[in-house]
Amino acid sequence: MCGIAGHLGTPRGPALRERMRSALLRRGPDAQHDAAFAADGTRLPDDAHAAVGLVHTRLSIIDPRPLADQPMGSDDGRVWIVYNGEVYGWQAAARELAARGVRFRTTSDTEFILRGYQAWGIEALLPRLRGMFAFAIVDFRTGKAHVVRDRLGLKPVVYAHDASGLAFGSTVRSVLPWLPRARRQFSLEAIDAYLAHRYVPAPRTVFANIARLPNAHRLEYDLAQGTAALHRWWVPHGEPGADGAALLDEAIALRLVADRPLGLFLSGGVDSGAIACRLAATGHRALRSFSAAFPGSAFDESVEAAATAQALGLANERIVVPTSIRDDFSEIVATLDEPFADPSSFPTWYLARATERHVKVVLGGDGGDELFAGYKRIAKHLRTGWRGALRLPLPVLPDRHAKGWRKALGEASAGYEDAYALRFSGLTPNQRRFLQPACAAPPIHYWRSPDFASTNRHDRLLRWDFANYLPEYVLRKADLATMAHGLELRAPLLDHRFVEAVLGLPPAVRFTKPPKRYLGELAPELVRLGVFERKKRGFNPPLSGWLRDDLREQLHEAPASLHASTGGAIDARRTEALVTAYATTSSLAEQVLSLVILAESLRQLAALAADAP
């Protein structure tokens, strides 16, 4: 796991690469390097102006020797790679290459990707990669560069492209220095998208001239022509009849391969519990588990998590999440890179900070809800499926509250599937229109169209999550909050072969009441431990207390700050009115927190945009 960045096109000096590298230090605390090249591929001194610059910060997990550091080049120096992620089970294919005379200098998956690209080319390489990854390969032989993101979107990559060239990076903040000062403006559309979803969905970012590469896509850049083309390289599909039990055990086993200590994030729920059960059943009881604790809160699952761990013979560390975020708020917002308002990001950040003191790699249960329709909002929305394409021609009612019957009317005025996005939204269209009076008719949502078709009523909704909520909300949070502390998070349930096996299940097996009974079949100990009888709690912090105490000053400053950062698009007086309304109803806590986070994030990013030359 690492941070990557680079620039291609008009020659740029070493100061740019230094700024890119500085933005990525947290993602790669073990080694930091860059490489500079002329347009023809000639390696240049590090302090030279370069047509191609590659930057890498390394978290060393596999083959931690300096020999495996990056950027990594081919033997002839004509092909180079920077890579973030982990590819699993590649050793058999590496032996195939070795039998053909390919010589490996390291035992790293980085070198396997590089050698595999040389042998097979990009289109034949990608289907062979099993895992999570974002990488860039520059091939001076063909004059092409390839920027790639993994199937499910576990690893992030953003980019900027104009007539002068291309820049890419793991974070928005690593690409921002490449943009000319005049092109560093915020996107008002992206800000409205954030208000709608609590994050900025791909392919947008908060900056008008920086884009996010969607999951399962690659960007091909022509070094001579300066043109870029986007290609989808994987589409989710089911594999009926696949052995889900064997594939889950295989997915877990593959993610136990590391040259650094491993652990497990364990809650009291089904997803991480299933992984814990299979670890114990396959003899991996030595792994240490880590559970977040919210003492005195209805959201505290640490007692149930400890009971699961004890029953399975796993050591368990209870991590008490601080009740105050006053001292860490700005740092956590910076960690999240751009505006991002998942409240659970904060406890995840603290959990990762404490866990990293013991291990460098941790397994987690991300993906179970998207695979098995575990969210309550899905069941609720399915109950409105009778209306199909019917939508009521109702006017938008500008109002700062937008709750109760007004919210229901807003959903009814949208199509059935479009309205699903409102089941997990930030501010409603009514609230967004209230805050942005110049935005006469904001769209219902900014979600990307689904990547696959389905006639199953559950899958018709879940395919929206696969294209949007999973990669850009759940997995973005997981990546940013853990990598902020140099901790690698691995998600066995999102192994693409296990995902395909689940997608191929009969609906009656996959979608059950309670959800995820299939995981109980794969991990019978879940049933014996009564995990399915436990109430689903979520991972929610004490928002009202934060807003009342820790963030009181930021809350007071947010209306004027947002007005200034958005050039008046977000109205200060109307924002103040919404904040005042919050004082009378706790139902607006998440919306108000999203405004406070937006104000702080835009303040930080505006300062960075103004500071860079």
Side-chain angles (χ1 to χ4, degrees):
M1 300 287 266
C2 307
I4 64 171
H7 63 87
L8 309 94
T10 301
R12 301 290 297 271
L16 170 61
R17 296 186 288 281
E18 170 60 29
R19 295 183 75 90
M20 287 179 153
R21 187 168 62 250
S22 295
L24 297 170
L25 286 177
R26 282 182 173 268
R27 297 185 67 89
D30 296 328
Q32 301 85 36
H33 301 288
D34 58 79
F37 305 89
D40 63 1
T42 301
R43 182 75 182 267
L44 301 174
D46 291 345
D47 61 353
H49 274 62
V52 174
L54 298 176
V55 174
H56 192 263
T57 62
R58 187 180 184 198
L59 174 61
S60 304
I61 302 298
I62 301 294
D63 193 350
R65 297 175 298 166
L67 186 64
D69 285 354
Q70 304 173 47
M72 182 180 288
S74 60
D75 293 339
D76 61 3
R78 303 296 292 167
V79 183
W80 288 81
I81 184 173
V82 285
Y83 159 55
N84 167 35
E86 296 290 351
V87 169
Y88 311 109
W90 52 270
Q91 291 83 357
R95 289 192 291 271
E96 174 189 332
L97 291 175
R100 293 166 50 181
V102 176
R103 184 177 63 90
F104 285 82
R105 295 179 290 109
T106 73
T107 57
S108 70
D109 50 338
T110 306
E111 186 174 12
F112 168 70
I113 296 173
L114 176 65
R115 304 296 187 190
Y117 169 79
Q118 290 180 274
W120 301 310
I122 193 68
E123 292 184 359
L125 167 69
L126 293 178
R128 296 173 180 257
L129 302 183
R130 183 176 182 177
M132 54 182 180
F133 46 86
F135 64 82
I137 289 177
V138 179
D139 188 342
F140 290 106
R141 304 169 309 171
T142 63
K144 298 289 179 62
H146 308 277
V147 182
V148 181
R149 190 176 181 195
D150 65 61
R151 294 172 181 84
L152 279 304
L154 289 103
K155 294 288 99 184
V157 62
V158 300
Y159 66 95
H161 176 235
D162 63 21
S164 70
L166 175 78
F168 64 87
S170 296
T171 64
V172 165
R173 296 178 186 224
S174 65
V175 171
L176 182 61
W178 181 82
L179 285 175
R181 189 184 298 272
R183 301 188 69 239
R184 295 176 187 168
Q185 67 269 29
F186 295 131
S187 164
L188 295 181
E189 183 182 65
I191 289 173
D192 184 56
Y194 165 85
L195 294 175
H197 299 289
R198 309 185 197 183
Y199 69 100
V200 181
R204 299 171 181 83
T205 74
V206 73
F207 285 98
N209 294 300
I210 301 178
R212 187 173 304 279
L213 188 65
N215 60 294
H217 281 71
R218 66 179 178 89
L219 187 74
E220 183 174 300
Y221 178 75
D222 189 297
L223 296 173
Q225 301 298 321
T227 55
L230 198 62
H231 304 278
R232 165 171 285 283
W233 65 271
W234 180 76
V235 174
H237 63 278
E239 289 288 348
D243 188 341
L247 285 170
L248 178 58
D249 281 351
E250 184 179 65
I252 294 172
L254 289 172
R255 284 160 180 78
L256 295 176
V257 176
D259 294 325
R260 306 290 290 275
L262 292 102
L264 169 70
F265 279 164
L266 181 63
S267 72
V270 173
D271 302 333
S272 61
I275 296 169
C277 288
R278 296 315 304 159
L279 284 168
T282 53
H284 294 96
R285 289 186 172 87
L287 255 70
R288 194 171 183 177
S289 62
F290 302 87
S291 305
F294 304 86
S297 165
F299 300 108
D300 187 11
E301 291 186 305
S302 61
V303 174
E304 290 92 338
T308 298
Q310 183 177 15
L312 297 174
L314 302 175
N316 183 251
E317 182 87 14
R318 183 172 179 262
I319 308 297
V320 176
V321 176
T323 56
S324 172
I325 62 169
R326 180 180 291 110
D327 295 338
D328 300 312
F329 176 71
S330 293
E331 182 179 356
I332 294 173
V333 171
T335 289
L336 299 174
D337 191 33
E338 60 175 334
F340 189 85
D342 180 354
S344 69
S345 299
F346 292 83
T348 303
W349 189 89
Y350 286 112
L351 176 62
R353 184 177 69 176
T355 300
E356 187 274 334
R357 296 168 186 161
H358 305 281
V359 299
K360 282 294 183 181
V361 181
V362 67
L363 274 61
D366 288 335
D369 287 307
E370 290 76 18
L371 287 173
F372 299 102
Y375 296 117
K376 293 179 181 178
R377 67 174 183 267
I378 296 173
K380 290 180 179 179
H381 202 68
L382 287 173
R383 288 197 287 269
T384 70
W386 56 268
R387 66 187 179 96
L390 175 68
R391 67 173 70 196
L392 300 180
L394 301 174
V396 174
L397 302 172
D399 179 78
R400 62 181 176 273
H401 296 285
K403 61 179 182 178
W405 64 271
R406 288 176 181 260
K407 182 176 181 180
L409 287 177
E411 292 180 6
S413 66
Y416 169 68
E417 291 196 17
D418 284 338
Y420 176 62
L422 298 178
R423 292 284 178 180
F424 188 85
S425 61
L427 280 75
T428 67
N430 289 338
Q431 291 168 327
R432 288 152 51 205
R433 184 176 181 183
F434 176 78
L435 293 179
Q436 304 169 102
C439 185
I444 293 169
H445 67 79
Y446 290 87
W447 275 5
R448 199 164 58 83
S449 296
D451 300 323
F452 61 97
S454 177
T455 57
N456 177 269
R457 65 193 194 110
H458 287 83
D459 249 348
R460 284 180 57 199
L461 301 182
L462 288 175
R463 64 197 185 116
W464 288 90
D465 282 342
F466 264 83
N468 297 279
Y469 181 76
L470 176 62
E472 305 306 341
Y473 192 81
V474 174
L475 298 180
R476 192 187 305 182
K477 171 197 69 180
D479 173 83
L480 293 171
T482 54
M483 289 301 291
H485 304 291
L487 178 69
E488 177 175 301
L489 176 61
R490 300 176 175 180
L493 296 181
L494 292 177
D495 180 277
H496 81 275
R497 292 194 60 196
F498 179 70
V499 168
E500 290 169 350
V502 171
L503 294 180
L505 291 173
V509 175
R510 182 180 172 200
F511 304 119
T512 58
K513 292 183 180 180
K516 310 177 189 178
R517 281 291 183 184
Y518 180 70
L519 289 179
E521 296 178 16
L522 304 188
E525 283 293 294
L526 288 175
V527 179
R528 188 182 70 80
L529 293 171
V531 175
F532 287 97
E533 280 64 57
R534 296 173 184 170
K535 182 179 179 181
K536 187 176 177 65
R537 298 187 184 182
F539 200 46
N540 299 308
L543 303 188
S544 296
W546 287 354
L547 292 167
R548 182 184 62 249
D549 301 321
D550 296 355
L551 304 179
R552 181 171 51 189
E553 183 178 347
Q554 289 90 337
L555 182 60
H556 173 72
E557 295 172 350
S561 177
L562 289 171
H563 187 91
S565 296
T566 62
I570 296 180
D571 185 87
R573 287 181 297 178
R574 294 189 174 204
T575 305
E576 185 65 46
L578 189 143
V579 171
T580 301
Y582 162 69
T584 64
T585 171
S586 61
S587 66
L588 292 172
E590 291 188 359
Q591 288 87 342
V592 171
L593 178 65
S594 73
L595 294 175
V596 172
I597 291 173
L598 178 63
E600 173 63 17
S601 184
L602 294 183
R603 183 194 66 77
Q604 293 181 8
L605 292 169
L608 289 173
D611 178 57

